[in-house]
Amino acid sequence: MNTLGRRTLLLMIPVNLVLIVWVWFGRVVFGVGGWFFLIFMLSVVPVLLIALLVTTILAFTQPGRPRSLTGSQAVTQVVVWVAMFVFGAFMPDFGDTDDSHISLLTQVFGPSDAALSASYTIAFGAAAVVLVSYLVLLVMLIADRRKQERPPPPRVTTAPV
């Protein structure tokens, strides 16, 4: 049994839930709060809940005991988590005033177009990594399920002549 795979499987539910909340309003920890709190609640959070629920169900209903992710599935799940954390930390937010675009980087380095641009670049890069790694994980979970559900080929035996 793969230790990383077993631990990752057991952590899927709590870490997925924490990171959904983090993506939703984790920026507030760094003093970055604005309209994305409401926008993400109505658009991003439901999509993340459904998507992560699908992979969690697929992972927990894999055949075999004790249940465990494969090494590649576990690494891909960890990549999804890290990218979600990065997205939640670096996604800029905005408010009702002209100069209310803030992000983690503008809080650390001061308000500037370069810091804001870098924040968007990091956040959108992390979002792309989440999407690609999630799709890879989904394909791996489905492919492994199909591979394990396929009956073994029939054995052909010949009688000695």
Side-chain angles (χ1 to χ4, degrees), residues 4 8 11-13 15-23 44 47-56 69 71-89 122-141:
L4 175 65
T8 304
L11 289 172
M12 279 180 91
I13 294 172
V15 173
N16 284 345
L17 292 174
V18 166
L19 285 173
I20 288 171
V21 171
W22 177 257
V23 166
V44 175
V47 170
L48 284 175
L49 276 170
I50 292 168
L52 294 174
L53 179 65
V54 167
T55 54
T56 302
L69 296 175
S72 56
Q73 290 170 347
V75 168
T76 306
Q77 178 64 64
V78 171
V79 170
V80 169
W81 289 339
V82 170
M84 286 175 68
F85 180 82
V86 170
F87 178 85
I122 293 169
F124 289 142
V129 170
V130 168
L131 180 62
V132 169
S133 55
Y134 172 82
L135 291 174
V136 168
L137 177 63
L138 183 63
V139 167
M140 283 192 293
L141 287 168

Side-chain angles (χ1 to χ4, degrees), residues 18-156:
V18 166
L19 285 173
I20 288 171
V21 171
W22 177 257
V23 166
W24 180 19
F25 62 89
R27 300 171 303 289
V28 174
V29 172
F30 305 111
V32 179
W35 281 104
F36 277 139
F37 178 79
L38 179 62
I39 293 169
F40 281 8
M41 181 180 68
L42 299 173
S43 61
V44 175
V45 169
V47 170
L48 284 175
L49 276 170
I50 292 168
L52 294 174
L53 179 65
V54 167
T55 54
T56 302
I57 289 171
L58 286 173
F60 273 91
T61 59
Q62 293 184 95
R65 299 264 187 226
R67 302 222 190 279
S68 177
L69 296 175
T70 65
S72 56
Q73 290 170 347
V75 168
T76 306
Q77 178 64 64
V78 171
V79 170
V80 169
W81 289 339
V82 170
M84 286 175 68
F85 180 82
V86 170
F87 178 85
F90 285 93
M91 184 64 191
D93 215 329
F94 65 95
D96 294 333
T97 61
D98 290 336
D99 59 348
S100 64
H101 287 278
I102 53 176
S103 70
L104 171 62
L105 293 179
T106 61
Q107 297 292 76
V108 172
F109 298 113
S112 72
D113 289 338
L116 194 61
S117 177
S119 293
Y120 275 112
T121 302
I122 293 169
F124 289 142
V129 170
V130 168
L131 180 62
V132 169
S133 55
Y134 172 82
L135 291 174
V136 168
L137 177 63
L138 183 63
V139 167
M140 283 192 293
L141 287 168
I142 292 170
D144 284 352
R145 177 178 297 274
R146 287 189 176 175
K147 183 173 40 173
Q148 292 176 0
E149 288 177 355
R150 235 183 283 150
R155 286 187 106 168
V156 178

